[in-house]
């Protein structure tokens, strides 16, 4: 049975067109792009074409694109580079709702003696702008903030933050892993110095990412070795995945506007119908500034894990909190930072859509979800209390 896949913020299906362009590089075109001979050397040109396609999606110049192994590597590299190049500046600013790719790395640097400020958010997941302005000081080496949150979809005002940082001459990195391919984004108009993206969130494969570094920004590589990527990221290129990522970016760029509209209409229909048919349900995150594909809903008096298991029986894939933290029963750090009550955090479910999500997928969820919630509430003492049956 084909799943109803609504967990696209965890990872996306590889587009068939992406797989097609990759396959020759696993078979006949296995050369090394750094080789002198034509067999390997010809791959260099293909990698450069992919670089140009990635650059076009975010409005960058191709030479500002560094291929990495994933979004996590891009995030780590950006922060590390800023810190290494400014040994006199020991302060890093980030937020409480970042992905572990940033949050855990900042905690690691804190253990090594850096001062890290984790900015708070309000009950809708919005950044505290005043706290942001006050926290940046002469010791700040870098500010690393996500463009859009993976759990709630909430979008941070990165253009505004970047403007402040430009005036203060502080390096600005954004984790745009969840934004690229979902929102129009142009680094020519966005005052950011570095930006991370990840292939598997936009229908390319896992294990390839990008760090954009604005021309003129000083940069120190994290992975050191050969001369690949102009000495900015050593290691023989992951040619097939890079070429696949180029294709994925080309497709995303061609369909961005229409998909943004279509997917947000599907998401809104799903959300509004569930809110109407499941009492004691709330949206988590600012509904006026969110990714078009994401909804995070709390169904009070039920366990998110129980909902997921029941959805799974119907072939529906969703997530309770972040994919990277599921598997542990720790309540989501994002929802906690927003001050969402524990009863609501425990019943939170994230649905995340993609360009492969159909009307029929949404119909299926709308049909099965209200009875699931009713049944689970009837089973739980809290639920029975809430619906007046005790
Ligand atoms: N940043 C954000 C916002 C993410 O959602 C993710 C993955 O979920 C990452 C970084 C890490 O990307 P990758 O899985 O490519 O390492």
């Amino acid at each position: 049975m084909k799943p109803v896949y609504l967990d696209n913020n965890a990872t996306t299906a590889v587009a068939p067109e992406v797989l097609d362009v990759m396959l020759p590089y696993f078979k006949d075109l296995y050369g090394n792009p750094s080789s002198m001979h034509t067999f390997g050397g010809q791959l260099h040109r293909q990698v450069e074409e992919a670089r140009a396609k990635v650059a076009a999606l975010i409005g960058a110049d191709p030479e500002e694109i560094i291929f990495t192994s994933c979004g996590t590597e891009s995030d780590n590299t950006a922060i590390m580079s800023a810190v290494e190049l400014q040994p006199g500046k020991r302060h890093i600013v980030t937020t409480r709702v970042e992905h572990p790719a940033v949050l855990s790395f900042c905690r690691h640097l804190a253990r090594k003696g850096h001062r890290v400020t984790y900015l708070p958010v309000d009950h809708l997941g919005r950044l505290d702008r005043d706290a942001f302005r006050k926290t940046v000081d002469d010791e700040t080496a870098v500010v690393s903030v996500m463009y859009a949150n993976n759990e709630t979809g909430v979008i941070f005002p990165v253009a505004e933050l970047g403007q402040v940082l430009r005036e203060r001459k502080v390096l600005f990195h954004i984790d745009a892993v969840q934004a690229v391919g979902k929102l129009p984004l142009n680094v020519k108009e966005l005052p950011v110095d570095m930006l991370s993206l990840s292939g598997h969130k936009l229908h390319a494969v896992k294990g390839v990412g990008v760090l954009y570094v604005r021309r003129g920004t000083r940069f120190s590589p994290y992975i050191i070795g050969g001369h690949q990527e102009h000495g900015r990221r050593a290691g023989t290129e992951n040619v097939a995945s890079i070429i696949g990522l180029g294709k994925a970016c080309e497709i995303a760029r061609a369909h961005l506007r229409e998909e943004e509209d279509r997917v947000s209409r599907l998401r809104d229909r799903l959300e509004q119908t569930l809110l109407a048919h499941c009492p004691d349900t709330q949206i988590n995150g600012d509904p006026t500034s969110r990714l078009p594909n994401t909804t995070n809903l709390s169904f009070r008096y039920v366990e998110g894990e129980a909902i997921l298991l029941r959805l799974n029986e119907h072939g529906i894939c969703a997530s309770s909190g972040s994919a990277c933290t599921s598997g542990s029963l720790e309540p989501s750090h994002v929802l906690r930072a927003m001050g969402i009550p524990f009863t609501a955090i425990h019943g939170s479910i994230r649905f995340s859509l993609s360009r492969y999500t159909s009307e029929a997928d949404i119909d299926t969820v709308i049909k099965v979800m209200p009875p699931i919630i009713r049944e689970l509430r009837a089973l739980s003492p809290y639920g029975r209390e809430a619906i007046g049956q005790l």
Side-chain angles (χ1 to χ4, degrees):
M1 186 174 72
K2 197 165 154 283
V4 173
Y5 188 76
L6 297 180
D7 202 11
N8 288 278
N9 287 7
T11 197
T12 59
V14 176
E17 302 90 325
V18 167
L19 182 62
D20 285 348
V21 298
M22 289 176 69
L23 286 176
Y25 299 91
F26 292 111
K27 273 178 81 192
D28 302 329
L29 299 174
Y30 53 81
N32 186 327
S34 300
S35 296
M36 286 298 289
H37 45 73
T38 315
F39 178 69
Q42 64 181 339
L43 270 60
H44 178 75
R45 194 168 46 82
Q46 321 288 339
V47 167
E48 291 316 303
E49 277 174 20
R51 195 185 304 280
K53 288 176 185 168
V54 174
L57 178 62
I58 61 168
D61 292 334
E63 54 278 21
E64 295 174 316
I65 299 297
I66 303 173
F67 288 114
T68 65
S69 70
C70 58
T72 302
E73 184 192 324
S74 303
D75 286 344
N76 283 205
T77 304
I79 298 169
M80 198 63 199
S81 169
V83 163
E84 285 229 322
L85 289 170
Q86 305 170 93
K89 298 189 172 186
R90 308 287 290 168
H91 183 215
I92 300 164
V93 177
T94 187
T95 80
R96 289 190 193 161
V97 295
E98 296 302 307
H99 187 273
V102 168
L103 219 42
S104 300
F105 194 64
C106 286
R107 289 198 193 110
H108 166 75
L109 291 175
R111 284 193 292 274
K112 292 188 172 297
H114 289 273
R115 179 164 60 93
V116 182
T117 303
Y118 304 93
L119 291 168
V121 295
D122 70 6
H123 67 291
L124 291 177
R126 296 174 302 194
L127 196 67
D128 185 333
R129 290 170 157 100
D130 282 341
F132 169 77
R133 280 172 195 275
K134 281 187 202 136
T135 206
V136 176
D137 59 30
D138 292 344
E139 268 208 0
T140 309
V142 63
V143 174
S144 179
V145 160
M146 65 202 329
Y147 195 156
N149 188 276
N150 46 306
E151 294 193 32
T152 59
V154 170
I155 296 168
F156 278 158
V158 287
E160 184 189 318
L161 306 181
Q163 208 47 54
V164 174
L165 295 174
R166 215 163 245 192
E167 284 157 22
R168 311 271 285 268
K169 298 196 173 27
V170 174
L171 279 178
F172 189 29
H173 163 250
I174 60 169
D175 175 348
V177 164
Q178 292 292 346
V180 172
K182 295 175 189 157
L183 296 174
L185 190 166
N186 188 337
V187 289
K188 295 238 165 18
E189 293 156 10
L190 213 53
V192 302
D193 302 301
M194 291 179 278
L195 172 153
S196 302
L197 67 92
S198 173
H200 73 108
K201 308 290 184 180
L202 68 150
H203 304 291
V205 294
K206 296 160 191 66
V208 63
V210 163
L211 179 63
Y212 155 84
V213 180
R214 186 179 295 281
R215 184 182 292 113
T217 303
R218 286 173 66 217
F219 179 75
S220 165
Y222 195 39
I223 301 209
I224 294 167
H227 58 271
Q228 292 89 355
E229 300 296 288
H230 295 287
R232 295 177 300 178
R233 199 280 185 182
T236 302
E237 297 87 342
N238 180 355
V239 176
S241 301
I242 288 172
I243 288 171
L245 178 57
K247 187 70 187 173
C249 289
E250 184 181 60
I251 300 172
R253 185 164 170 242
H255 299 288
L256 200 59
R257 293 282 181 192
E258 75 200 49
E259 279 304 312
E260 201 186 344
D261 281 358
R262 193 190 71 87
V263 166
S264 66
R265 263 187 278 113
L266 285 179
R267 189 270 315 270
D268 292 347
R269 184 160 78 85
L270 170 68
E271 192 172 80
Q272 291 312 317
T273 316
L274 293 184
L275 286 174
H277 290 92
C278 306
D280 288 315
T281 299
Q282 70 182 58
I283 300 174
N284 296 318
D286 182 1
T288 64
S289 179
R290 257 188 319 170
L291 287 174
N293 80 318
T294 308
T295 176
N296 188 313
L297 295 171
S298 277
F299 302 88
R300 280 179 185 254
Y301 317 115
V302 254
E303 289 293 324
E305 282 68 28
I307 303 174
L308 286 187
L309 289 174
R310 296 297 302 276
L311 288 175
N312 192 45
E313 287 165 14
H314 293 271
I316 299 168
C317 308
S319 180
S320 63
S322 153
C324 305
T325 55
S326 65
S328 77
L329 283 178
E330 268 289 292
S332 147
H333 71 283
V334 175
L335 301 183
R336 266 186 299 155
M338 290 161 65
I340 307 283
F342 277 89
T343 48
I345 295 183
H346 283 300
S348 74
I349 296 288
R350 176 189 70 188
F351 294 106
S352 46
L353 288 61
S354 81
R355 72 165 178 272
Y356 296 121
T357 307
S358 66
E359 296 278 355
D361 291 336
I362 300 303
D363 290 340
T364 305
V365 183
I366 285 172
K367 194 167 136 223
V368 305
M369 193 72 174
I372 289 177
I373 299 298
R374 267 197 305 275
E375 284 161 30
L376 290 174
R377 279 184 183 156
L379 287 174
S380 113
Y382 299 115
R384 285 205 298 275
E385 196 172 12
I387 55 181
Q389 290 182 3
L390 279 184

